[in-house]
Every structure is written in structure tokens, then in C-alpha cells.
Amino acid sequence: MKKLCLAALAVAGLSSGLAQTVVKLQGFGGNDTAIMSSLVREVVNPALEKDGIRAEYQGIEGDYKAALLNALAAGTAGDLFYVDIFWSEPVFASGKVEPLDAYFSKQELGVFVPSLLNAFSFKGKIYGLPKDFNTLALQFNKDLFDEAGVKYPNQADTWETFKAKLQQVQSKLKDVAGMCVVADFARFGAFAYATGWKPFNAQGKTVLDANFKRAFEFYTSLVKDGAGKYAQDLGEGWTGGCFGSEKAAVAIEGNWIGGFLKDKAPNMKFGTTFLPLDPVTKQRGNFIYTVSWSMNAASKNKQAAAKVLRALASPEAQNWILSRGLALPSRSALAGSPVFQRADKYGELSRVVFNGSTRQGGNVLPFKFGSYDGGDWMRPINEALQAVITGKKSVDQAIADAQTELNKLVK
Amino acid sequence: MPSSKRTEALYALLFISPFLLHLLIFFIFAFVRTIWFSFTDKTTLRDSYNFVGLQNFINLFGEERFLLALQHSIGFMLVVTTIQTFLALATAAVLNQRLRGITFFRTVYYIPSVLSSAAVTVIAIWFFQKTGFLNTFIGWVSAHSPVILALVGSFVLAQAVQVGLERMRGLPVAPTDPALAAISAVVAIALTWLLGAMGLVGPREARPPEFTWLTNPDSFLGLPIPLWSIVMLNIFTTIPTLMLIFLAGLQDIPKSVYEAAAIDGASPVQQFFWVTVPMLRPVTFLVVTLSLIGTLQMFDQVALMGDSAPLNSIIVMAYYVYNSVFSGEGQIGMASAAALVLAVLTFVVVFLQRTFGISEKAH
């Protein structure tokens, strides 16, 4: 009996010596699971070993937003989790997310790109640290343009000159579309922003005005005027899919297309430039897509979670991600990273996407829609694009219908 | 109660306890919570909520999208149940024959229900595209219609001539005589080839129709065209299961009944309508009931269609419930009310079908 007691004491002593605070991280599944698990293992956990803290990443496959909302409501969400800017505000407003101002000093927060940090502030408080970000850029297949004998798109192109180039490619190369056009605000919106149009006016209402219509007419005319084909008719769901399989000569995507092209078309010679300019305003438009690391207000390990958060957003972690060409850093200081100066096609892609968030990007707005669910807000516009591209409605009719739907939503 | 009986009851309870527990947690508890939430303004993320009485139900019936979902669900249920019950019975009757290689056909016809709904829907998105398989196939058929018409025409002609000749000789051959049909087929192929070689018959220029299935806002017989695509898809994947139930039912009908009918002079068609159909009533009742419930609660195919089709043209009740919970703030109260309406509708439909439709008793 005595021996048994001693053994039990020894086990208890051993386990208390090994006691570690485990911080649960939740984010997207797919590629992110492999990437984040490596980052946590190689960068975050070694840095926190002395504090007795260990982070564990759990990727959620399928509908991440539904899973997170469920977990938050049920009290089973991780200590730290991704919040997509696209649907961030209703989540921050719910009180389920811990404001970070108490855990980070002004100085610590000041190192992030201001527009990114602002994207995650709500009622004067910071609810998340930007993990990384992306903007849109124009990728073009050099071989296809050479074969068609057409000049490459460049940053001086306006909508008209850009469209003319695509028309030439499409008419010279019979089985290649200039661009595959998606009926999606996530691409079309950049053109609408170029005109100076904003999703919400000063009264907080969405008005599809003359500027919106001008961009709408240009975007849908790409299909009508033989400069592009509707993505679904080519059997693709995104412009990168058409581009990677050489069904289209250009794509409008962010840095994420780099990894896809490395797998799908490693030998493709492609270049990257900025989106074309609105011929009237001489501006271009762009989106900032970003995801934050946010803290669960119901977490039992808030102090430990803050330490993990600091490690996840550290220069080491962001350099690790950047050097693997995965995403762009949210720290201003990393803008001068040698990765952006690389002369190869992926270096150019990262550089243009990074600069898309600066003044060169023109009218850049974060991909967020205030207190509205982004999906609900975009749906009427996406359906209007689809109806016009497939020839089911006139531009005026489609915009009028979308306005009616938006009026019901945006009170 | 004697102790042996008590032990027996205890064992019985023990054996069904996993199921009871499951029922209690996942059905009864969930159902009671849903009823409670339907009278509140609960959202996914807010912890506090108020009792609002019948307000959610009143709001629901004033909401355009809900009424649309209701209309689509009922339409979908009626169309799919009718078509798939009929086709499943017909397929089962065909597969119940004693033919060489019938197991092969039974397996082939059953395959669609083995495939995962997600995979089939993703393929269907591609199948229904403007330049997808369906339109290309329709284009091919229309381009080759002269050849097909020539083939069918010469077959009918050859068969008519042969049957006519045989009857003139006093032999009572049926117009569908298989031996003569085999000869007619050979003659038809040869004749069509000859016409083709002479340049009289040939395919026209292929022109696939410009019809859009998934993005078409038009309606046909009260249902939007994109929902018709899901109708086709759903029928394709559900028929095999129902067919299997019918097939099991068919094999339970004693051969002696058919023999008696045959002796009384009933033709195969008469046997089907006066023996098979009435004897299959309990099975038909099961199939129709399963189909009504399944179609009313159809969710996966709409969810997987995603943005390929406008939401208002494919939304059904189950998807409305899901969409209310997982968009914006998450209207749990409204969604619960909608889920209850769906449950009541299901009960009513099954009750009506039991009372006025096909009953479960063989006559």
C-alpha cells in the first residue's frame, strides 16, 4: 500500500512538472491545416516552451463560418480563431470576442499596416490582429499573348485598352477566352470602386448609381463584346481555374493563385500587373481581403492566448509565412522584405499584390459590408451580373431588380 | 410482476437504451428546444433573448422568400414523388423478368443511389451548364435527327412489311415479334447506311441549344427552370432505392396468382394492372410516404448548388431554415419557426396521403 501511495505521488509530481497550458487555435481547413500546424510546431511552440504554453491548431473543413458560429454559441470555440473580415462585424458586435486593447500596448499594435488593423476595429476597440492579407492583381499568360501577337497588359491600361487586348487574343486564338468572367462582386466590385462608387453612402444606404452602372456595363460587356467568356460556360468557378488550364489569357486573383499555379502549371510564363484604370476617373479600385486572429471572450486561458497571439503575429512567424510564398505580411516593416524584390514571376506577383493595398492600388476598400452579412449583401448584385452575362435581363432591369432587393436588406 | 418477467423487461430496456438515449437527446430534446425557440427572438450569437409569442410565424408568412420556399417545396414534392414512383415501379417491373444478364442490369440501375449526393451534384453543375453535356447531347441529337429518323422510319417500314406478309400467310404474329424485329433492325441499318452513302441522308450542322438550365429565371409549370434541374437530379439518384423496394415487393407476389390470371386469359398488361399493382399496395404506400418525406426535406442538392443558380430560384424549406441560421446574426427564432412549419407540413402531407391516397393495406 505504501509503495502504491509513493507511486501515485510520483506520478502526480511528474504530471505537475509537465503541466502545460494548451491554447486551442481554430482556423480554415485544407492547406491552412498543414501550414499552420508547421508554423505552430516550428515557430510558435519553441518560443513559448519556457512559459509552459503549447498551441494546437485545429483546421475546420467545410463551412468555417457556420462551424465557428455554432462553436461560439455552444461555448466550444477555440481560445483563438480566425475571423474573416467578410463577416467580422456581426461577430464582434455579439460580445463573444475579447477586445485586445487590454493585452497589447499601443506600440505593439502600431507595427501593423494601419488599414488592416482598422479593418478589425469596432466601436474604437481592436478585436483582432490581422493575420496576413491579399489584394487583387491582374495575371496574364505571356505565351498566349505572344502567340496572338498582342502587347501584354500593363499598369497604364484603361478599361478600353485592356478590353481591346483581350478581344484581340480571343479572336486570334480560337479556343482561348480573353478572360473568364465570374458573376461575383468579389471581382466586379474592384471595377465599381474605381469609379469612386462606395457600397454604402453617407446615410448607410446602398445606391446603385450611374458610376456603378458604368462599371457594371463595362464588366458585363466583356462577354458580350468577345473579350471574355462566362466562367461557368468554361466549366470553371474562378478566374484562376480558367487561367491555370489555359482556357483564358488573364486572371484577376490575389497572391493565393501563386500556390495554385505552382501545382497546376509550374512552367507557365506569366506576368502580373495592376488592374486597369477607369478611363473617366483615371483611378483603379481594389479590395483588401484579410483574416484576423481573434480571442474568445469565454476563453479560460486569456493571458496564455495573448502570448500565443503575440507569437503568431511576430516578425518571425510572418517571415516564415512570407518566405514560403503563402500570404503577405500584415506588419508594415516587412514591406521591405527581400521576398518582394525577387526577380521571378512569383516575386512580381507578391509585389503587385502587396502594392495593391497602397496608393498605387487606387480606391482600395476592405472586403467588408458593415453590420450586414457579406453574402446576403452581395447576392442581389451577383445575381444581377449573372442575369446580364447570360442574356436574361437588360442592364437597367438587372440593376433595378438588385436595387429593390438591396432596399429590402439595407434598412 | 414475477421476477422472470421483471428480468426480461430489464434486459429489454437495457438493449433499447442506446437508442432511447439517442432519441431523447437528438430528437426529443432538440424538438422541444426548437418549439421554445420558435416563440423567441433568439439569435446565434446573442445570449439574451425575449419571448415574442407568435410573431415569428406571422413574420414568416409575410416574407417573400419563405413563401417562395414553401411553394417550391410543395411543387418539388408533388412532381418528384409522382414521377419517381411511376418510374421506379416501371423499372422494377422490367427488372423482375427472367432474362439473361438481368443481374447486370439490376446492378447498373442501382448504381446512382450508391454515389454520394455531393459528388453527383458537383457533376450535375457541369452537366447542366450552357456548354455542358446535356446541351451538347441535345445538339448532337438534333444534328443527327435526319439519320435517326431514317433509321427509325426504315425499321418501322421493314417490320410492317414483314408482319403484313406473315399475316397474309395466315400466321398470327404480333407487331412486336422479336425475331422479325431483329431482321428489321438489320434491314434498317443497311438501308440507312445506303441512304447515307448516296448522300440523301446525313447529319446537319451541330448547333447546341443556347438554353441555360441553372441561371434561367424563367418558370415552367410553376417551378423555376433551375429547380427543374434539381428535380431531374433528385429523381435520378432516388429511383434506384425505391426500385429496389418495389423489386422486393414484386418478388413476394406468389407466382400462382399470375398463373391463375393467365389461365383466365389475362394479357401481361392486364396482369400488371389487375394483379401486380393491387398486390403491391403496401409497398407503394411505403415508397410514396418515404418519397413525400424525402422530397419535402430535400436540402443537400440545393446547398451544394451554391451560387451556381440564383438562390430565389432553388430555395426550398429545409435550405431556408439553414440559410436563416447561418447568415448575418443567425435568426434562430425565425429558423425554428420555419422548421416547425416544415414539420407540420410533413405530418399533414403524410396524413392526407394515408387518408385519401394509397393506403397501406393490400385489398
Side-chain angles (χ1 to χ4, degrees), chain A residues 63 96 232-233 373 383 408, chain B residues 45 47 64 129 131 311 328:
Chain A
D63 191 345
K96 299 270 181 194
Q232 284 200 343
D233 289 344
D373 180 279
E383 292 183 358
K408 281 187 215 160
Chain B
L45 292 173
D47 289 326
E64 196 186 340
Q129 270 158 16
T131 51
L311 182 67

Side-chain angles (χ1 to χ4, degrees), chain A residues 113 115-116 133-136 274 286-288 328 351-362 364:
Chain A
V113 177
S115 60
L116 294 179
F133 80 101
N134 255 297
T135 68
L136 293 176
F274 294 98
N286 215 328
F287 284 114
I288 289 183
L328 302 176
R351 199 162 53 242
V352 176
V353 171
F354 187 86
N355 287 328
S357 68
T358 63
R359 238 175 355 143
Q360 261 182 307
V364 193

Side-chain angles (χ1 to χ4, degrees), chain B residues 5-344:
Chain B
K5 278 269 180 204
R6 234 188 353 247
T7 321
E8 201 175 295
L10 196 71
Y11 276 128
L13 208 62
L14 204 68
F15 278 119
I16 61 166
S17 61
F19 179 71
L20 272 183
L21 209 65
H22 178 262
L23 194 75
L24 209 66
I25 297 171
F26 292 102
F27 289 88
I28 298 177
F29 174 70
F31 191 60
V32 172
R33 287 265 282 193
T34 306
I35 293 176
W36 165 241
F37 284 153
S38 71
F39 296 113
T40 68
D41 61 354
K42 183 169 170 52
T43 61
T44 313
L45 292 173
R46 257 188 301 127
D47 289 326
S48 59
Y49 53 89
N50 306 307
F51 183 80
V52 294
L54 289 172
Q55 198 54 47
N56 284 329
F57 293 92
I58 295 167
N59 289 350
L60 269 186
F61 284 95
E63 201 189 326
E64 196 186 340
R65 185 170 280 165
F66 174 78
L67 295 176
L68 211 55
L70 189 65
Q71 182 193 333
H72 288 168
S73 277
I74 294 174
F76 184 82
M77 173 194 77
L78 292 175
V79 171
V80 174
T81 305
T82 313
I83 299 179
Q84 76 187 7
T85 309
F86 178 74
L87 288 181
L89 180 59
T91 330
V94 169
L95 290 183
N96 196 32
Q97 310 292 319
R98 288 174 176 277
L99 288 177
R100 187 181 282 274
I102 197 72
T103 325
F104 170 76
F105 287 103
R106 279 182 195 160
T107 314
V108 167
Y109 289 162
Y110 189 65
I111 283 177
S113 78
V114 179
L115 303 173
S116 99
S117 179
V120 174
T121 311
V122 171
I123 294 171
I125 292 174
W126 174 73
F127 181 87
F128 285 117
Q129 270 158 16
K130 197 161 90 180
T131 51
F133 180 82
L134 187 57
N135 278 358
T136 312
F137 178 73
I138 295 172
W140 186 89
V141 170
S142 92
H144 286 79
S145 58
V147 182
I148 297 168
L149 278 178
L151 189 72
V152 173
S154 44
F155 176 84
V156 171
L157 196 69
Q159 184 79 354
V161 169
Q162 287 192 80
V163 171
L165 284 176
E166 293 293 318
R167 288 208 175 154
M168 272 167 66
R169 286 163 57 192
L171 296 169
V173 287
T176 53
D177 188 82
L180 295 183
I183 299 171
S184 302
V186 175
V187 171
I189 291 170
L191 204 63
T192 312
W193 179 81
L194 198 71
L195 288 173
M198 287 162 64
L200 293 174
V201 167
R204 296 181 295 186
E205 196 191 338
R207 209 175 298 133
E210 289 281 290
F211 192 76
T212 51
W213 290 91
L214 296 180
T215 53
N216 200 325
D218 300 336
S219 287
F220 174 69
L221 296 178
L223 289 184
I225 301 285
L227 199 62
W228 278 105
S229 315
I230 299 182
V231 165
M232 287 187 230
L233 182 63
N234 196 280
I235 290 176
F236 171 72
T237 51
T238 326
I239 279 186
T241 313
L242 303 183
M243 174 199 82
L244 208 66
I245 302 174
F246 271 131
L247 199 57
L250 282 174
Q251 296 190 341
D252 266 358
I253 302 176
K255 292 278 172 294
S256 55
V257 185
Y258 288 104
E259 284 163 8
I263 289 168
D264 286 345
S267 71
V269 177
Q270 282 171 325
Q271 286 178 24
F272 180 77
F273 283 106
W274 299 105
V275 177
T276 311
V277 173
M279 294 287 275
L280 271 182
R281 277 186 107 162
V283 179
T284 314
F285 171 77
L286 172 73
V287 164
V288 171
T289 308
L290 282 180
S291 179
L292 289 175
I293 297 171
T295 46
L296 268 182
Q297 302 189 342
M298 191 272 295
F299 165 78
D300 49 351
Q301 283 154 345
V302 170
L304 289 160
M305 277 285 168
D307 295 334
S308 300
L311 182 67
N312 278 354
S313 66
I314 53 170
I315 193 162
V316 286
M317 294 276 282
Y319 191 76
Y320 178 88
V321 173
Y322 172 84
N323 198 48
S324 310
V325 176
F326 293 113
S327 75
E329 225 188 316
Q331 304 291 333
I332 303 273
M334 285 283 269
S336 300
L340 279 186
V341 173
L342 177 59
V344 169

Side-chain angles (χ1 to χ4, degrees), chain A residues 361-383:
Chain A
N363 301 326
V364 193
L365 295 180
F367 194 54
K368 68 189 269 192
F369 306 95
S371 57
Y372 300 98
D373 180 279
D376 285 348
W377 185 88
M378 292 199 316
R379 193 185 302 281
I381 297 177
N382 293 352
E383 292 183 358

Side-chain angles (χ1 to χ4, degrees), chain A residues 69-150:
Chain A
L69 294 190
N70 244 340
L72 280 174
T76 56
D79 300 297
L80 295 171
F81 42 76
Y82 290 4
V83 174
D84 195 318
I85 186 171
F86 185 46
W87 39 260
S88 58
E89 225 170 276
V91 179
F92 295 156
S94 71
K96 299 270 181 194
V97 178
E98 181 83 359
L100 297 176
D101 308 69
Y103 303 88
F104 292 86
S105 65
K106 283 238 155 31
Q107 240 171 349
E108 278 178 305
L109 294 172
V111 298
F112 294 98
V113 177
S115 60
L116 294 179
L117 199 62
N118 282 341
F120 294 111
S121 61
F122 176 69
K123 292 191 175 164
K125 286 183 178 164
I126 303 289
Y127 282 87
L129 296 187
K131 183 171 91 70
D132 46 38
F133 80 101
N134 255 297
T135 68
L136 293 176
L138 182 76
Q139 297 84 27
F140 53 92
N141 185 324
K142 291 183 175 173
D143 284 340
L144 291 180
F145 275 87
D146 288 342
E147 198 183 326
V150 179

Side-chain angles (χ1 to χ4, degrees), chain A residues 141-152 164-178 249:
Chain A
N141 185 324
K142 291 183 175 173
D143 284 340
L144 291 180
F145 275 87
D146 288 342
E147 198 183 326
V150 179
K151 275 192 186 159
Y152 297 153
K165 285 178 183 174
L166 294 186
Q167 279 170 323
Q168 284 176 43
V169 172
Q170 188 161 315
S171 65
K172 295 245 172 73
L173 311 174
K174 291 289 171 223
D175 50 351
V176 174

